[in-house]
Short mmCIF file of all heavy atoms in Angstrom, two decimals:
data_model
loop_
_atom_site.label_atom_id
_atom_site.label_comp_id
_atom_site.label_asym_id
_atom_site.label_seq_id
_atom_site.Cartn_x
_atom_site.Cartn_y
_atom_site.Cartn_z
N MET A 1 4.72 8.97 10.30
CA MET A 1 4.31 7.66 9.78
C MET A 1 5.05 7.37 8.46
O MET A 1 5.47 6.25 8.26
CB MET A 1 2.77 7.59 9.64
CG MET A 1 2.34 6.33 8.96
SD MET A 1 0.60 6.20 9.05
CE MET A 1 0.47 4.56 8.37
N PHE A 2 5.14 8.38 7.61
CA PHE A 2 5.82 8.12 6.32
C PHE A 2 7.19 8.80 6.34
O PHE A 2 7.32 9.93 6.84
CB PHE A 2 5.02 8.85 5.18
CG PHE A 2 3.69 8.18 4.98
CD1 PHE A 2 2.52 8.78 5.46
CD2 PHE A 2 3.56 7.01 4.26
CE1 PHE A 2 1.28 8.19 5.28
CE2 PHE A 2 2.32 6.42 4.06
CZ PHE A 2 1.19 7.01 4.55
N PRO A 3 8.19 8.13 5.79
CA PRO A 3 9.48 8.77 5.70
C PRO A 3 9.42 9.94 4.66
O PRO A 3 8.59 9.91 3.77
CB PRO A 3 10.44 7.71 5.19
CG PRO A 3 9.55 6.71 4.54
CD PRO A 3 8.24 6.80 5.22
N PRO A 4 10.26 10.96 4.85
CA PRO A 4 10.24 12.03 3.86
C PRO A 4 10.55 11.64 2.50
O PRO A 4 11.35 10.68 2.29
CB PRO A 4 11.23 12.99 4.41
CG PRO A 4 11.69 12.49 5.71
CD PRO A 4 11.24 11.11 5.91
N LEU A 5 9.96 12.27 1.48
CA LEU A 5 10.29 12.04 0.14
C LEU A 5 11.50 12.93 -0.19
O LEU A 5 11.31 14.20 -0.17
CB LEU A 5 9.10 12.38 -0.83
CG LEU A 5 7.86 11.45 -0.67
CD1 LEU A 5 6.71 11.98 -1.46
CD2 LEU A 5 8.26 10.03 -1.11
N VAL A 6 12.60 12.34 -0.50
CA VAL A 6 13.82 13.16 -0.70
C VAL A 6 14.20 13.15 -2.20
O VAL A 6 14.50 12.11 -2.72
CB VAL A 6 15.00 12.60 0.18
CG1 VAL A 6 16.24 13.42 -0.06
CG2 VAL A 6 14.58 12.54 1.58
N PRO A 7 14.13 14.31 -2.85
CA PRO A 7 14.50 14.35 -4.23
C PRO A 7 15.97 14.11 -4.38
O PRO A 7 16.78 14.35 -3.44
CB PRO A 7 14.18 15.78 -4.63
CG PRO A 7 13.26 16.33 -3.59
CD PRO A 7 13.53 15.52 -2.35
N SER A 8 16.42 13.65 -5.58
CA SER A 8 17.83 13.26 -5.72
C SER A 8 18.74 14.53 -5.86
O SER A 8 19.97 14.37 -5.80
CB SER A 8 17.97 12.44 -7.01
OG SER A 8 17.51 13.19 -8.12
N GLY A 9 18.22 15.66 -6.03
CA GLY A 9 19.04 16.87 -6.09
C GLY A 9 19.28 17.32 -7.48
O GLY A 9 19.69 18.44 -7.73
N ASP A 10 18.93 16.49 -8.50
CA ASP A 10 19.12 16.85 -9.86
C ASP A 10 17.87 17.36 -10.54
O ASP A 10 17.78 17.53 -11.75
CB ASP A 10 19.75 15.73 -10.68
CG ASP A 10 18.85 14.47 -10.71
OD1 ASP A 10 17.75 14.52 -10.11
OD2 ASP A 10 19.30 13.48 -11.27
N GLY A 11 16.81 17.57 -9.73
CA GLY A 11 15.58 18.06 -10.25
C GLY A 11 14.59 16.99 -10.70
O GLY A 11 13.48 17.21 -11.11
N ALA A 12 15.09 15.70 -10.60
CA ALA A 12 14.21 14.56 -11.01
C ALA A 12 13.12 14.38 -10.04
O ALA A 12 13.23 14.65 -8.82
CB ALA A 12 15.07 13.31 -11.18
N ALA A 13 12.00 13.83 -10.46
CA ALA A 13 10.83 13.56 -9.57
C ALA A 13 11.15 12.28 -8.82
O ALA A 13 11.87 11.44 -9.22
CB ALA A 13 9.57 13.38 -10.47
N VAL A 14 10.56 12.21 -7.63
CA VAL A 14 10.72 11.03 -6.74
C VAL A 14 9.64 9.98 -7.21
O VAL A 14 8.48 10.27 -7.24
CB VAL A 14 10.45 11.40 -5.26
CG1 VAL A 14 10.54 10.14 -4.37
CG2 VAL A 14 11.46 12.46 -4.86
N PRO A 15 10.12 8.81 -7.62
CA PRO A 15 9.15 7.75 -8.07
C PRO A 15 8.46 7.11 -6.84
O PRO A 15 9.12 6.74 -5.89
CB PRO A 15 9.98 6.74 -8.82
CG PRO A 15 11.41 6.92 -8.28
CD PRO A 15 11.47 8.34 -7.78
N ILE A 16 7.16 7.03 -6.83
CA ILE A 16 6.44 6.37 -5.81
C ILE A 16 5.30 5.58 -6.44
O ILE A 16 4.88 5.85 -7.56
CB ILE A 16 5.84 7.31 -4.70
CG1 ILE A 16 4.84 8.32 -5.30
CG2 ILE A 16 6.95 8.05 -3.95
CD1 ILE A 16 4.17 9.14 -4.23
N THR A 17 4.79 4.59 -5.73
CA THR A 17 3.73 3.79 -6.26
C THR A 17 2.37 4.46 -6.05
O THR A 17 2.31 5.40 -5.25
CB THR A 17 3.64 2.42 -5.54
OG1 THR A 17 3.29 2.69 -4.13
CG2 THR A 17 4.94 1.66 -5.65
N LEU A 18 1.43 4.09 -6.81
CA LEU A 18 0.07 4.72 -6.69
C LEU A 18 -0.48 4.42 -5.30
O LEU A 18 -1.09 5.33 -4.70
CB LEU A 18 -0.87 4.11 -7.78
CG LEU A 18 -2.28 4.63 -7.73
CD1 LEU A 18 -2.31 6.13 -7.99
CD2 LEU A 18 -3.15 3.91 -8.75
N THR A 19 -0.26 3.24 -4.79
CA THR A 19 -0.70 2.93 -3.41
C THR A 19 -0.10 3.88 -2.38
O THR A 19 -0.82 4.41 -1.53
CB THR A 19 -0.38 1.49 -3.05
OG1 THR A 19 -1.04 0.62 -4.03
CG2 THR A 19 -0.89 1.10 -1.65
N GLU A 20 1.20 4.12 -2.50
CA GLU A 20 1.84 5.09 -1.59
C GLU A 20 1.29 6.43 -1.71
O GLU A 20 1.04 7.20 -0.77
CB GLU A 20 3.33 5.09 -1.72
CG GLU A 20 3.99 6.02 -0.73
CD GLU A 20 5.51 6.08 -0.85
OE1 GLU A 20 6.12 5.26 -1.55
OE2 GLU A 20 6.10 6.90 -0.15
N TYR A 21 1.11 6.87 -2.98
CA TYR A 21 0.53 8.17 -3.24
C TYR A 21 -0.83 8.36 -2.58
O TYR A 21 -1.17 9.32 -1.90
CB TYR A 21 0.41 8.48 -4.70
CG TYR A 21 -0.31 9.79 -5.00
CD1 TYR A 21 0.33 11.01 -4.86
CD2 TYR A 21 -1.62 9.78 -5.33
CE1 TYR A 21 -0.30 12.22 -5.08
CE2 TYR A 21 -2.29 10.99 -5.60
CZ TYR A 21 -1.66 12.19 -5.44
OH TYR A 21 -2.35 13.34 -5.63
N MET A 22 -1.72 7.33 -2.80
CA MET A 22 -3.06 7.38 -2.26
C MET A 22 -3.04 7.39 -0.73
O MET A 22 -3.78 8.16 -0.09
CB MET A 22 -3.88 6.14 -2.74
CG MET A 22 -4.20 6.31 -4.23
SD MET A 22 -4.93 4.81 -4.95
CE MET A 22 -6.18 4.33 -3.83
N MET A 23 -2.15 6.63 -0.11
CA MET A 23 -2.09 6.60 1.34
C MET A 23 -1.54 7.96 1.85
O MET A 23 -2.07 8.47 2.87
CB MET A 23 -1.18 5.45 1.82
CG MET A 23 -1.82 4.10 1.58
SD MET A 23 -0.74 2.68 1.93
CE MET A 23 -0.30 2.98 3.62
N ARG A 24 -0.48 8.46 1.25
CA ARG A 24 0.02 9.80 1.71
C ARG A 24 -1.00 10.88 1.56
O ARG A 24 -1.21 11.74 2.35
CB ARG A 24 1.27 10.14 0.95
CG ARG A 24 2.54 9.43 1.33
CD ARG A 24 3.71 9.82 0.49
NE ARG A 24 4.92 9.19 0.83
CZ ARG A 24 5.77 9.64 1.72
NH1 ARG A 24 5.66 10.78 2.30
NH2 ARG A 24 6.92 8.96 1.96
N ASP A 25 -1.72 10.88 0.44
CA ASP A 25 -2.69 11.89 0.16
C ASP A 25 -3.84 11.83 1.16
O ASP A 25 -4.36 12.90 1.59
CB ASP A 25 -3.30 11.75 -1.29
CG ASP A 25 -4.20 12.87 -1.67
OD1 ASP A 25 -3.82 14.05 -1.52
OD2 ASP A 25 -5.35 12.56 -2.05
N TYR A 26 -4.20 10.69 1.62
CA TYR A 26 -5.32 10.50 2.58
C TYR A 26 -4.81 10.78 4.01
O TYR A 26 -5.52 11.49 4.77
CB TYR A 26 -5.86 9.11 2.47
CG TYR A 26 -7.03 8.83 3.44
CD1 TYR A 26 -8.24 9.40 3.18
CD2 TYR A 26 -6.82 8.13 4.58
CE1 TYR A 26 -9.34 9.19 4.10
CE2 TYR A 26 -7.86 7.86 5.43
CZ TYR A 26 -9.09 8.42 5.16
OH TYR A 26 -10.17 8.23 6.04
N GLU A 27 -3.64 10.18 4.40
CA GLU A 27 -3.22 10.19 5.78
C GLU A 27 -2.23 11.31 6.08
O GLU A 27 -2.24 11.83 7.24
CB GLU A 27 -2.58 8.95 6.15
CG GLU A 27 -3.54 7.73 6.12
CD GLU A 27 -2.82 6.41 6.45
OE1 GLU A 27 -1.75 6.41 7.03
OE2 GLU A 27 -3.41 5.37 6.07
N ALA A 28 -1.44 11.85 5.10
CA ALA A 28 -0.48 12.84 5.38
C ALA A 28 -0.19 13.65 4.16
O ALA A 28 0.91 13.67 3.60
CB ALA A 28 0.82 12.16 5.86
N PRO A 29 -1.20 14.43 3.72
CA PRO A 29 -1.05 15.17 2.45
C PRO A 29 0.15 16.18 2.55
O PRO A 29 0.70 16.48 1.51
CB PRO A 29 -2.37 15.87 2.26
CG PRO A 29 -3.05 15.82 3.63
CD PRO A 29 -2.53 14.62 4.30
N HIS A 30 0.48 16.63 3.69
CA HIS A 30 1.59 17.52 3.84
C HIS A 30 2.94 16.95 3.41
O HIS A 30 3.86 17.61 2.99
CB HIS A 30 1.72 18.02 5.25
CG HIS A 30 1.98 16.92 6.26
ND1 HIS A 30 0.95 16.14 6.80
CD2 HIS A 30 3.16 16.47 6.83
CE1 HIS A 30 1.53 15.26 7.60
NE2 HIS A 30 2.82 15.39 7.58
N SER A 31 3.01 15.59 3.44
CA SER A 31 4.22 14.88 3.04
C SER A 31 4.50 14.96 1.54
O SER A 31 5.57 14.68 1.10
CB SER A 31 4.21 13.47 3.48
OG SER A 31 3.27 12.63 2.77
N LEU A 32 3.46 15.39 0.78
CA LEU A 32 3.59 15.52 -0.70
C LEU A 32 3.90 16.98 -1.10
O LEU A 32 4.23 17.24 -2.26
CB LEU A 32 2.31 15.06 -1.38
CG LEU A 32 2.00 13.54 -1.22
CD1 LEU A 32 0.58 13.31 -1.64
CD2 LEU A 32 2.96 12.71 -1.93
N ALA A 33 3.72 17.90 -0.13
CA ALA A 33 3.87 19.33 -0.51
C ALA A 33 5.24 19.65 -0.97
O ALA A 33 6.23 19.38 -0.33
CB ALA A 33 3.50 20.18 0.74
N GLY A 34 5.25 20.35 -2.15
CA GLY A 34 6.50 20.82 -2.69
C GLY A 34 7.44 19.76 -3.26
O GLY A 34 8.55 20.09 -3.68
N VAL A 35 7.03 18.53 -3.41
CA VAL A 35 7.82 17.47 -3.89
C VAL A 35 7.29 17.00 -5.28
O VAL A 35 6.09 16.69 -5.38
CB VAL A 35 7.91 16.21 -2.90
CG1 VAL A 35 8.76 15.15 -3.47
CG2 VAL A 35 8.37 16.69 -1.57
N ARG A 36 8.15 17.04 -6.27
CA ARG A 36 7.77 16.43 -7.57
C ARG A 36 7.76 14.95 -7.47
O ARG A 36 8.75 14.36 -7.00
CB ARG A 36 8.71 16.91 -8.67
CG ARG A 36 8.58 18.37 -9.04
CD ARG A 36 9.51 18.74 -10.14
NE ARG A 36 9.22 17.95 -11.32
CZ ARG A 36 10.11 17.59 -12.28
NH1 ARG A 36 11.34 17.97 -12.12
NH2 ARG A 36 9.78 16.87 -13.26
N ILE A 37 6.63 14.29 -7.84
CA ILE A 37 6.57 12.86 -7.81
C ILE A 37 6.35 12.34 -9.24
O ILE A 37 5.90 13.04 -10.13
CB ILE A 37 5.53 12.33 -6.85
CG1 ILE A 37 4.16 12.84 -7.25
CG2 ILE A 37 5.85 12.75 -5.44
CD1 ILE A 37 3.04 12.18 -6.54
N ARG A 38 6.70 11.04 -9.43
CA ARG A 38 6.45 10.38 -10.73
C ARG A 38 5.62 9.18 -10.49
O ARG A 38 5.94 8.26 -9.77
CB ARG A 38 7.82 10.03 -11.38
CG ARG A 38 7.60 9.37 -12.72
CD ARG A 38 8.92 9.14 -13.43
NE ARG A 38 9.86 8.37 -12.67
CZ ARG A 38 10.01 7.04 -12.74
NH1 ARG A 38 9.25 6.37 -13.53
NH2 ARG A 38 10.87 6.42 -11.96
N LEU A 39 4.45 9.14 -11.16
CA LEU A 39 3.58 7.95 -11.21
C LEU A 39 3.56 7.48 -12.66
O LEU A 39 3.45 8.22 -13.56
CB LEU A 39 2.16 8.34 -10.76
CG LEU A 39 1.94 8.79 -9.34
CD1 LEU A 39 0.57 9.29 -9.19
CD2 LEU A 39 2.36 7.77 -8.37
N VAL A 40 3.62 6.17 -12.81
CA VAL A 40 3.63 5.54 -14.13
C VAL A 40 2.25 5.01 -14.42
O VAL A 40 1.61 4.43 -13.53
CB VAL A 40 4.67 4.43 -14.29
CG1 VAL A 40 4.64 3.80 -15.61
CG2 VAL A 40 6.05 4.99 -13.96
N GLY A 41 1.70 5.27 -15.60
CA GLY A 41 0.39 4.76 -16.00
C GLY A 41 0.28 4.66 -17.46
O GLY A 41 1.28 4.68 -18.18
N PHE A 42 -0.94 4.57 -17.92
CA PHE A 42 -1.19 4.61 -19.38
C PHE A 42 -2.38 5.47 -19.62
O PHE A 42 -3.01 5.84 -18.65
CB PHE A 42 -1.34 3.15 -19.92
CG PHE A 42 -2.46 2.37 -19.24
CD1 PHE A 42 -3.71 2.36 -19.79
CD2 PHE A 42 -2.15 1.63 -18.12
CE1 PHE A 42 -4.69 1.58 -19.23
CE2 PHE A 42 -3.18 0.89 -17.48
CZ PHE A 42 -4.44 0.85 -18.04
N VAL A 43 -2.69 5.75 -20.86
CA VAL A 43 -3.83 6.65 -21.11
C VAL A 43 -4.89 5.84 -21.82
O VAL A 43 -4.70 4.87 -22.51
CB VAL A 43 -3.38 7.82 -22.00
CG1 VAL A 43 -2.49 8.69 -21.22
CG2 VAL A 43 -2.81 7.40 -23.28
N THR A 44 -6.14 6.32 -21.60
CA THR A 44 -7.32 5.84 -22.26
C THR A 44 -8.09 7.00 -22.91
O THR A 44 -8.05 8.07 -22.28
CB THR A 44 -8.22 5.09 -21.26
OG1 THR A 44 -8.63 5.88 -20.15
CG2 THR A 44 -7.63 3.79 -20.78
N PRO A 45 -8.75 6.77 -24.01
CA PRO A 45 -9.45 7.90 -24.67
C PRO A 45 -10.58 8.41 -23.76
O PRO A 45 -11.16 7.60 -23.04
CB PRO A 45 -10.00 7.26 -25.97
CG PRO A 45 -9.21 6.05 -26.16
CD PRO A 45 -8.75 5.56 -24.80
N GLN A 46 -10.92 9.66 -23.87
CA GLN A 46 -12.08 10.23 -23.22
C GLN A 46 -13.32 9.55 -23.78
O GLN A 46 -13.33 8.89 -24.79
CB GLN A 46 -12.19 11.72 -23.50
CG GLN A 46 -11.19 12.50 -22.69
CD GLN A 46 -11.68 12.86 -21.34
OE1 GLN A 46 -12.61 12.29 -20.79
NE2 GLN A 46 -11.02 13.83 -20.74
N ARG A 47 -14.46 9.77 -23.13
CA ARG A 47 -15.74 9.25 -23.63
C ARG A 47 -16.05 9.88 -24.97
O ARG A 47 -15.50 10.88 -25.34
CB ARG A 47 -16.85 9.56 -22.60
CG ARG A 47 -16.70 8.74 -21.33
CD ARG A 47 -17.82 9.10 -20.39
NE ARG A 47 -17.48 10.42 -19.74
CZ ARG A 47 -18.24 11.06 -19.00
NH1 ARG A 47 -19.51 10.65 -18.77
NH2 ARG A 47 -17.90 12.19 -18.41
N ARG A 48 -16.97 9.19 -25.67
CA ARG A 48 -17.39 9.70 -27.00
C ARG A 48 -17.77 11.16 -26.91
O ARG A 48 -18.45 11.65 -26.00
CB ARG A 48 -18.54 8.95 -27.50
CG ARG A 48 -18.15 7.68 -28.16
CD ARG A 48 -19.36 7.06 -28.85
NE ARG A 48 -19.01 5.70 -29.23
CZ ARG A 48 -19.79 4.81 -29.69
NH1 ARG A 48 -21.07 5.19 -29.88
NH2 ARG A 48 -19.42 3.61 -30.00
N GLY A 49 -17.33 11.93 -27.94
CA GLY A 49 -17.73 13.32 -27.99
C GLY A 49 -16.80 14.23 -27.23
O GLY A 49 -17.03 15.48 -27.23
N ARG A 50 -15.80 13.69 -26.53
CA ARG A 50 -14.88 14.50 -25.78
C ARG A 50 -13.47 14.36 -26.34
O ARG A 50 -13.11 13.21 -26.65
CB ARG A 50 -14.93 14.21 -24.33
CG ARG A 50 -16.33 14.40 -23.71
CD ARG A 50 -16.32 14.12 -22.29
NE ARG A 50 -15.87 15.35 -21.57
CZ ARG A 50 -15.77 15.46 -20.26
NH1 ARG A 50 -16.08 14.47 -19.49
NH2 ARG A 50 -15.40 16.58 -19.79
N ASP A 51 -12.69 15.33 -26.39
CA ASP A 51 -11.36 15.29 -26.86
C ASP A 51 -10.37 14.92 -25.69
O ASP A 51 -10.65 15.25 -24.58
CB ASP A 51 -10.90 16.59 -27.50
CG ASP A 51 -11.59 16.88 -28.78
OD1 ASP A 51 -11.99 15.94 -29.46
OD2 ASP A 51 -11.75 18.10 -29.09
N GLY A 52 -9.27 14.33 -26.06
CA GLY A 52 -8.25 14.07 -25.04
C GLY A 52 -8.23 12.67 -24.54
O GLY A 52 -8.91 11.76 -24.95
N TYR A 53 -7.36 12.54 -23.48
CA TYR A 53 -7.15 11.22 -22.84
C TYR A 53 -7.14 11.40 -21.30
O TYR A 53 -7.01 12.52 -20.81
CB TYR A 53 -5.77 10.72 -23.23
CG TYR A 53 -5.73 10.33 -24.73
CD1 TYR A 53 -5.35 11.34 -25.63
CD2 TYR A 53 -6.03 9.13 -25.15
CE1 TYR A 53 -5.33 11.05 -27.01
CE2 TYR A 53 -5.97 8.76 -26.51
CZ TYR A 53 -5.67 9.75 -27.44
OH TYR A 53 -5.60 9.49 -28.76
N LEU A 54 -7.33 10.28 -20.64
CA LEU A 54 -7.22 10.22 -19.17
C LEU A 54 -6.04 9.39 -18.76
O LEU A 54 -5.83 8.28 -19.36
CB LEU A 54 -8.50 9.60 -18.61
CG LEU A 54 -9.83 10.32 -18.83
CD1 LEU A 54 -11.00 9.45 -18.43
CD2 LEU A 54 -9.84 11.63 -18.17
N LEU A 55 -5.28 9.83 -17.79
CA LEU A 55 -4.20 9.00 -17.28
C LEU A 55 -4.89 7.89 -16.47
O LEU A 55 -5.74 8.08 -15.66
CB LEU A 55 -3.29 9.82 -16.34
CG LEU A 55 -2.16 9.03 -15.72
CD1 LEU A 55 -1.23 8.49 -16.79
CD2 LEU A 55 -1.42 9.92 -14.75
N THR A 56 -4.48 6.63 -16.74
CA THR A 56 -5.09 5.49 -16.15
C THR A 56 -4.03 4.65 -15.38
O THR A 56 -2.90 4.52 -15.89
CB THR A 56 -5.72 4.60 -17.25
OG1 THR A 56 -6.57 5.42 -18.04
CG2 THR A 56 -6.50 3.44 -16.69
N ARG A 57 -4.41 4.16 -14.25
CA ARG A 57 -3.51 3.35 -13.42
C ARG A 57 -4.35 2.40 -12.59
O ARG A 57 -5.39 2.82 -12.10
CB ARG A 57 -2.67 4.29 -12.55
CG ARG A 57 -1.72 3.57 -11.61
CD ARG A 57 -0.46 3.08 -12.31
NE ARG A 57 0.33 2.29 -11.44
CZ ARG A 57 1.50 2.64 -11.00
NH1 ARG A 57 2.01 3.78 -11.36
NH2 ARG A 57 2.18 1.84 -10.22
N PHE A 58 -3.93 1.21 -12.44
CA PHE A 58 -4.60 0.22 -11.59
C PHE A 58 -3.73 -0.17 -10.45
O PHE A 58 -2.53 -0.38 -10.58
CB PHE A 58 -4.99 -1.04 -12.37
CG PHE A 58 -6.02 -0.83 -13.41
CD1 PHE A 58 -5.67 -0.72 -14.74
CD2 PHE A 58 -7.33 -0.77 -13.06
CE1 PHE A 58 -6.58 -0.50 -15.66
CE2 PHE A 58 -8.34 -0.56 -14.02
CZ PHE A 58 -7.94 -0.46 -15.36
N ALA A 59 -4.30 -0.30 -9.23
CA ALA A 59 -3.63 -0.84 -8.07
C ALA A 59 -4.28 -2.14 -7.80
O ALA A 59 -5.48 -2.26 -7.62
CB ALA A 59 -3.70 0.10 -6.92
N ILE A 60 -3.47 -3.24 -7.80
CA ILE A 60 -4.03 -4.59 -7.55
C ILE A 60 -3.40 -5.10 -6.28
O ILE A 60 -2.16 -5.24 -6.16
CB ILE A 60 -3.62 -5.53 -8.77
CG1 ILE A 60 -4.27 -4.99 -10.02
CG2 ILE A 60 -4.13 -6.93 -8.44
CD1 ILE A 60 -3.86 -5.68 -11.28
N SER A 61 -4.25 -5.44 -5.29
CA SER A 61 -3.77 -5.95 -4.00
C SER A 61 -3.61 -7.49 -4.02
O SER A 61 -2.67 -8.01 -3.44
CB SER A 61 -4.76 -5.50 -2.88
OG SER A 61 -4.83 -4.14 -2.79
N CYS A 62 -4.55 -8.13 -4.60
CA CYS A 62 -4.59 -9.59 -4.52
C CYS A 62 -4.78 -10.19 -5.96
O CYS A 62 -3.93 -10.97 -6.37
CB CYS A 62 -5.68 -10.08 -3.61
SG CYS A 62 -5.83 -11.85 -3.52
N CYS A 63 -5.81 -9.74 -6.61
CA CYS A 63 -6.11 -10.28 -7.94
C CYS A 63 -6.75 -9.28 -8.78
O CYS A 63 -7.16 -8.21 -8.25
CB CYS A 63 -6.95 -11.58 -7.83
SG CYS A 63 -8.55 -11.31 -7.03
N ALA A 64 -6.96 -9.52 -9.98
CA ALA A 64 -7.59 -8.51 -10.90
C ALA A 64 -9.00 -8.10 -10.42
O ALA A 64 -9.42 -7.03 -10.72
CB ALA A 64 -7.64 -9.05 -12.34
N ALA A 65 -9.64 -8.94 -9.72
CA ALA A 65 -11.02 -8.66 -9.26
C ALA A 65 -11.08 -7.49 -8.30
O ALA A 65 -12.04 -6.81 -8.13
CB ALA A 65 -11.63 -9.86 -8.62
N ASP A 66 -9.95 -7.20 -7.57
CA ASP A 66 -9.95 -6.09 -6.66
C ASP A 66 -9.19 -4.88 -7.12
O ASP A 66 -8.86 -4.03 -6.39
CB ASP A 66 -9.41 -6.51 -5.27
CG ASP A 66 -7.96 -6.75 -5.25
OD1 ASP A 66 -7.25 -6.60 -6.33
OD2 ASP A 66 -7.37 -7.14 -4.22
N ALA A 67 -8.95 -4.81 -8.42
CA ALA A 67 -8.24 -3.65 -8.96
C ALA A 67 -8.97 -2.38 -8.79
O ALA A 67 -10.13 -2.29 -8.90
CB ALA A 67 -7.95 -3.89 -10.48
N THR A 68 -8.20 -1.37 -8.41
CA THR A 68 -8.78 -0.01 -8.17
C THR A 68 -8.26 0.95 -9.22
O THR A 68 -7.07 0.95 -9.50
CB THR A 68 -8.42 0.51 -6.75
OG1 THR A 68 -8.78 -0.40 -5.79
CG2 THR A 68 -8.92 1.84 -6.51
#
C-alpha cells in the first residue's frame, strides 16, 4: 500500500508528513523499520513542576477545529 521509504544514501533522514507517519505506523509499521525519518514540529513546555519540553505537531485536515 505504501511505497518504500528510500534514504538518499548520504545518511540524511527521509522527510515525511505527520499524517503519513501516523498512517504507516497504524497500517504498515514494518515500512518504518530501520529508516531514519524527519518530522518537523515545535516544542511546548512540560506541565508545571516538570522539567523539559514536548515535541508538538498538529495535523489539520480541513480547518483548525479538527486539528489533531
Side-chain angles (χ1 to χ4, degrees):
M1 174 170 187
F2 296 101
L5 294 172
V6 181
S8 61
D10 61 1
V14 177
I16 62 173
T17 65
L18 179 62
T19 301
E20 181 179 351
Y21 173 78
M22 290 170 46
M23 290 174 57
R24 282 180 182 267
D25 186 54
Y26 181 76
E27 296 177 18
H30 62 278
S31 70
L32 297 167
V35 179
R36 288 183 59 211
I37 60 170
R38 180 172 57 90
L39 297 173
V40 178
F42 57 95
V43 294
T44 54
Q46 286 273 16
R47 289 181 281 172
R48 278 190 192 173
R50 302 184 82 179
D51 291 332
Y53 294 87
L54 299 170
L55 179 62
T56 307
R57 176 78 187 247
F58 291 102
I60 299 175
S61 299
C62 177
C63 61
D66 71 1
T68 301

